[in-house]
């Protein structure tokens, strides 16, 4: 039985186990109820068909002529009661099993979905890690075997491996953050220094691509977590720089409504097609356009992580783009 259960999927075996527990509980109650009913029934029969009172005539069962008729009646009634109780219990068993199975499936459905999402995440993550690791391994092995290799020829290989290692570090950091269950501590955050920090951090990358970052965020406060806001801005700025042409501009601005503060990151890149705008926040999703997939390094985790962090701060992240000239990402946080 145990081995058979192992062959079923985790979800199916858990459903069967839970069904088993439900049925066991139901049958225990049903049998207990039947025993009590049997006791009451037989005692009522005995009471109703009590021994003959003085003056009453004892009648005998015509079948054998020796068994008193009342005892015969008690026996028949008891038999009928037992049959009814057995039928009742079989009905409870069959009906209860079906209802319990459906109930168990329903109970376990959210767990099944969470489990499936987790295994999909793990396999996608492993897939993302495997390809660059395999490329790096081959490259290093080939060069290690090359007897004529010199420091000069090996240097570019090492540099490319180092670049790959740094990408893998970003990837593993993002995976760890996505897997973590820790909720950020929320408080009132001064946005200006956080934005300045995030911009300063990304300037070397912007300089490599000769991109200017125009930060226009003035003093303002929002409810959130400084570290998370800086991480979100880091992701948005990183994308704005990655997907924009060289020598373009990235703008960081803010605005406010009655209850919220908005931070906007706008670039002059290719923009994001309308149809893709809902999907880019999904894990591992990358827009299937050669300009973003082949030329720009990434794993499709940045925006899903950004959205998760913004939602943990009770905020919202949206994108606006006509799909041609630039994209504007807006992070909205409560005041
Ligand atoms: P990654 O950048 O690692 O691919 P993200 O989750 O950060 O992953 O982004 C998902 C996809 O959204 C990117 O692959 C890219 O196609 C698109 N995208 C994100 N930001 C921009 C942007 N500023 N301009 C154009 N496309 C973008």
């Amino acid at each position: 039985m145990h081995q058979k259960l192992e062959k079923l999927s985790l979800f199916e075996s858990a459903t069967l186990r839970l069904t088993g527990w439900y049925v066991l509980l139901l049958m225990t109650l049903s049998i207990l109820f039947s025993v009590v009913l049997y006791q009451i029934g037989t005692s009522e029969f005995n009471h109703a068909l009590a021994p003959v009172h003085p003056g009453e005539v004892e009648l005998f069962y015509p079948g054998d002529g020796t068994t008193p008729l009342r005892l015969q009646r008690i026996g028949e009634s008891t038999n009928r009661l037992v049959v009814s109780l057995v039928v009742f219990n079989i009905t409870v068993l069959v009906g209860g099993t079906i209802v319990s199975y459906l109930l168990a499936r329903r109970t376990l459905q959210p767990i099944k979905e969470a489990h499936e999402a987790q295994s999909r995440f793990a396999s996608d993550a492993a897939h993302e890690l495997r390809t660059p690791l395999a490329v790096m391994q081959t490259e290093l092995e080939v060069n290690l075997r090359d007897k004529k290799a010199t420091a000069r020829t090996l240097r570019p290989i090492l540099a490319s491996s180092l670049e790959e290692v740094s990408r893998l570090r970003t990837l593993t950091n993002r995976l760890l953050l996505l897997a973590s269950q820790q909720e950020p501590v929320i408080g009132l955050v001064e946005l200006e220094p956080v934005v300045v920090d995030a911009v300063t951090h990304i300037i070397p990358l912007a300089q490599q691509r000769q991109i200017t970052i125009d930060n226009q965020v003035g003093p303002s406060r929002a409810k959130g977590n400084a570290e998370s806001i800086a991480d979100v801005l880091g992701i948005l700025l990183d994308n704005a720089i990655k997907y924009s042409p060289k020598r373009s501009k990235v703008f960081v601005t803010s605005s406010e409504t009655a209850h919220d503060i908005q931070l906007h990151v706008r670039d002059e890149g290719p923009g994001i097609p309308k149809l893709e705008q809902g999907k880019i926040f999904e894990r591992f999703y990358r827009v299937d356009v050669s300009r973003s997939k082949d030329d720009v390094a990434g794993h499709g985790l940045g925006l899903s992580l950004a959205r998760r962090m913004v939602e943990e701060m009770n905020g919202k992240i949206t994108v606006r783009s006509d799909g041609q000239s630039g994209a504007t990402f807006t992070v909205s946080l409560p005041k």
Side-chain angles (χ1 to χ4, degrees), residues 283-299:
R283 286 174 183 178
F284 297 106
Y285 189 82
R286 306 198 74 206
V287 177
D288 198 8
V289 178
S290 58
R291 68 183 177 220
S292 84
K293 267 210 153 164
D294 299 339
D295 304 347
V296 186
H299 302 276

Side-chain angles (χ1 to χ4, degrees), residues 189 191 194 222 224-234 263 313 333:
V189 179
L191 292 177
V194 176
N225 176 282
E227 221 172 292
S228 301
I229 299 173
D231 284 343
V232 170
L233 283 174
L263 291 172
M313 295 185 285
L333 293 169

Side-chain angles (χ1 to χ4, degrees), residues 77-150:
S77 300
T78 309
N79 282 347
R80 273 203 300 277
L81 180 65
V82 169
V83 170
S84 302
L85 288 177
V86 168
V87 170
F88 170 74
N89 275 286
I90 291 174
T91 313
V92 169
L93 180 66
V94 175
T97 306
I98 295 169
V99 174
S100 299
Y101 179 74
L102 295 176
L103 214 66
R105 269 187 84 93
R106 229 188 129 130
T107 312
L108 293 175
Q109 191 60 27
I111 300 171
K112 183 191 179 202
E113 279 162 18
H115 180 74
E116 278 172 359
Q118 208 165 36
S119 10
R120 216 172 26 245
F121 177 58
S123 91
D124 286 349
H127 183 78
E128 289 293 327
L129 288 167
R130 198 173 54 176
T131 315
L133 282 174
V135 170
M136 222 157 56
Q137 186 181 6
T138 318
E139 215 170 54
L140 292 174
E141 276 172 359
V142 166
N143 282 284
L144 210 62
R145 270 195 246 114
D146 182 1
K147 299 225 165 53
K148 284 183 241 138
T150 62

Side-chain angles (χ1 to χ4, degrees), residues 85-298:
L85 288 177
V86 168
V87 170
F88 170 74
N89 275 286
I90 291 174
T91 313
V92 169
L93 180 66
V94 175
T97 306
I98 295 169
V99 174
S100 299
Y101 179 74
L102 295 176
L103 214 66
R105 269 187 84 93
R106 229 188 129 130
T107 312
L108 293 175
Q109 191 60 27
I111 300 171
K112 183 191 179 202
E113 279 162 18
H115 180 74
E116 278 172 359
Q118 208 165 36
S119 10
R120 216 172 26 245
F121 177 58
S123 91
D124 286 349
H127 183 78
E128 289 293 327
L129 288 167
R130 198 173 54 176
T131 315
L133 282 174
V135 170
M136 222 157 56
Q137 186 181 6
T138 318
E139 215 170 54
L140 292 174
E141 276 172 359
V142 166
N143 282 284
L144 210 62
R145 270 195 246 114
D146 182 1
K147 299 225 165 53
K148 284 183 241 138
T150 62
R152 210 162 62 89
T153 55
L154 286 177
R155 193 166 272 278
I157 312 293
L158 288 179
S160 117
S161 297
L162 194 64
E163 202 178 308
E164 204 54 65
V165 168
S166 128
R167 276 191 212 144
L168 287 173
R169 262 192 68 177
T170 313
L171 170 65
T172 44
N173 283 343
R174 287 184 175 177
L175 285 173
L176 273 175
L177 277 171
L178 273 171
S180 103
Q181 302 285 332
Q182 239 180 347
E183 295 268 324
V185 181
I186 307 287
L188 217 50
V189 179
E190 286 289 351
L191 292 177
E192 197 182 9
V194 176
V195 178
V196 169
D197 257 16
V199 170
T200 314
H201 210 75
I202 208 87
I203 278 182
L205 190 71
Q207 279 172 343
Q208 269 180 26
R209 312 211 63 230
Q210 296 155 35
I211 287 175
T212 322
I213 303 179
D214 183 355
N215 175 11
Q216 298 169 8
V217 176
S220 50
R221 285 172 169 192
K223 271 194 209 130
N225 176 282
E227 221 172 292
S228 301
I229 299 173
D231 284 343
V232 170
L233 283 174
I235 291 168
L236 297 181
L237 287 168
D238 184 52
N239 280 351
I241 293 167
K242 273 194 318 192
Y243 297 107
S244 290
K246 280 190 173 175
R247 287 178 282 281
S248 60
K249 260 185 155 185
V250 171
F251 302 87
V252 190
T253 53
S254 66
S255 60
E256 61 182 285
T257 52
H259 303 290
D260 301 311
I261 295 267
Q262 289 95 27
L263 291 172
H264 313 275
V265 177
R266 177 162 68 87
D267 64 57
E268 299 175 330
I272 300 157
K274 283 259 182 293
L275 277 175
E276 307 279 356
Q277 288 175 15
K279 301 183 202 154
I280 53 173
F281 294 98
E282 286 167 18
R283 286 174 183 178
F284 297 106
Y285 189 82
R286 306 198 74 206
V287 177
D288 198 8
V289 178
S290 58
R291 68 183 177 220
S292 84
K293 267 210 153 164
D294 299 339
D295 304 347
V296 186

